[in-house]
Amino acid sequence: MAAKLDGEIVNADAFQLYRGLEIVSATPSKEEFGIRPHHLYGVLDPTESADAQLYVKLAKPVIEEIQSRGKTPVVTGGSGLYLKFLTHGAAPLPTGDPALRAEMEECPLEDLVAKLTALDPVEASRTALQNRRFVSRALEICLLSGQKASDLRDGWEKQTAEISSQLRGIVIQRTRPDLHARIAQRTRMMLDGGAIEEVAALKDVSTNCEKAIGFREIRALLAGEIDRATCEDLINAATRQYAKRQESWFRREKWLEPYTA
RNA sequence: GGCCCGAUAGCUCAGUCGGUAGAGCAGUGGAUUGAAAAUUCACGUGUCGGCGGUUCAAAUCCGUCUCGGGCCA
């Protein structure tokens, strides 16, 4: 598509942003990099933590620069949340605070729910209260901003319909058997192609970076906790589940047209 | 050839004193605005290996056959 549009590729994959994770994250090959210019691959050190806001900060200038040269940015990936931020903008919310998060980690979930309910009952009523992540984030917004998360988030939701009418994109669809076969092939190629050595070589990684599918599984293999076949099975299952979540996410993005491969 | 153990959901296995079965994982669907390759919610009919017997009633007891695994020859 990039070739057809005289375009340049911009990565929107949370893990292909990192250096040193090329094999595990299935970063494009040297040959693929040669076909069209690629941007935002391997731009973060594994010790750094990324988030959706940082991604937008990285991607916006790159996209604008491509456009200024008269080329078409072809954004591709990966993370639904990162893409959503890029395409629909960020709500005026405070950035996550590691210290506060660490503090909240120590609290039982019910305490966090109680605090959120006291500070912002509206947000509490529309948050999945079993989901520690979501509860923590909503509470974090209240605590850091001194305002109600529900108020801050409401404004943002009104803008999105307008923005999405200007977007153009496709979402590739495959049958489940085809998808699963491709995932199995991809995992096999990774493990045979240096993924184990790649993970062994990474020493200090951020808690963010170590969530890459394959990282923990290969660490367990290196530690002798599981064998190679089990490692492969675990990576396959995690990848299938991720692919399914991507399908759910992108199905809701009405501006994306389905493309059957 | 003889003896012992096993056979229950796609996989690994539970299943009390007989009352027609349930967990984990996998799978399927959903949620999702600064951790997102993360996090989270919902969904469990399967000749209980086959055949026969006992019983009001068998995954459960008895017999036999088949297939695994082990021990002895």
Side-chain angles (χ1 to χ4, degrees):
Chain A
M1 180 181 270
K4 269 189 192 166
L5 298 170
D6 190 24
E8 300 192 10
I9 293 166
V10 181
N11 170 44
D13 183 287
F15 288 85
Q16 291 174 359
L17 290 173
Y18 286 105
R19 269 188 298 282
L21 266 186
E22 285 78 11
I23 300 168
V24 162
S25 69
T27 293
S29 65
K30 286 196 169 59
E31 296 72 50
E32 287 167 322
F33 277 129
I35 297 171
R36 300 297 307 167
H38 284 60
H39 305 269
L40 292 183
Y41 290 89
V43 295
L44 294 180
D45 189 84
T47 56
E48 293 179 88
S49 277
D51 61 40
Q53 184 181 44
L54 173 67
Y55 173 71
V56 172
K57 271 188 197 159
L58 292 171
K60 273 258 163 81
V62 168
I63 289 168
E64 282 162 16
E65 194 271 332
I66 293 167
Q67 287 174 320
S68 76
R69 287 187 279 107
K71 305 286 186 181
T72 305
V74 178
V75 181
T76 182
S79 164
L81 184 70
Y82 285 16
L83 277 167
K84 185 88 177 184
F85 265 67
L86 188 61
T87 56
H88 291 70
L93 306 176
T95 303
D97 177 54
L100 179 56
R101 286 181 182 184
E103 202 179 307
M104 288 192 292
E105 259 331 283
E106 302 302 313
C107 291
L109 177 59
E110 49 196 306
D111 291 3
L112 300 177
V113 169
K115 278 182 199 166
L116 177 62
T117 307
L119 287 172
D120 189 348
V122 173
E123 190 66 10
S125 73
R126 62 191 189 189
T127 299
L129 298 176
Q130 317 90 321
N131 192 328
R132 192 179 184 91
R133 274 289 167 84
F134 290 2
V135 173
S136 299
R137 177 56 187 158
L139 182 57
E140 178 182 60
I141 292 167
C142 295
L143 294 173
L144 293 177
S145 69
Q147 299 178 64
K148 289 184 176 179
S150 52
D151 291 343
L152 296 174
R153 276 176 170 162
D154 279 343
W156 166 77
E157 306 216 64
K158 287 169 194 155
Q159 306 172 8
T160 60
E162 203 182 317
I163 304 173
S164 55
S165 67
Q166 302 165 23
L167 300 167
R168 183 91 201 277
I170 62 166
V171 55
I172 297 173
Q173 300 196 315
R174 317 196 97 98
T175 63
R176 277 298 157 85
D178 182 29
L179 180 66
H180 290 184
R182 285 169 156 266
I183 286 169
Q185 188 185 26
R186 169 190 144 120
T187 303
R188 178 63 59 86
M189 280 172 60
M190 268 181 202
L191 290 173
D192 288 344
I196 297 166
E197 294 74 9
E198 181 176 85
V199 169
L202 287 166
K203 27 189 200 66
D204 293 327
V205 296
S206 63
T207 54
N208 186 57
C209 188
E210 69 188 9
K211 285 174 190 132
I213 291 173
F215 185 87
R216 256 170 311 194
E217 293 84 352
I218 291 173
R219 275 275 162 99
L221 174 66
L222 289 166
E225 294 160 15
I226 56 174
D227 61 21
R228 150 88 195 223
T230 304
C231 178
E232 191 168 333
D233 286 347
L234 290 174
I235 293 173
N236 278 329
T239 307
R240 275 183 247 125
Q241 290 163 349
Y242 170 51
K244 193 182 62 191
R245 272 181 267 127
Q246 284 183 309
E247 283 192 359
S248 290
W249 184 291
F250 292 125
R251 204 174 286 153
R252 295 198 315 166
E253 298 289 337
K254 300 301 180 201
W255 60 279
L256 288 172
E257 295 168 43
Y259 174 81
T260 303

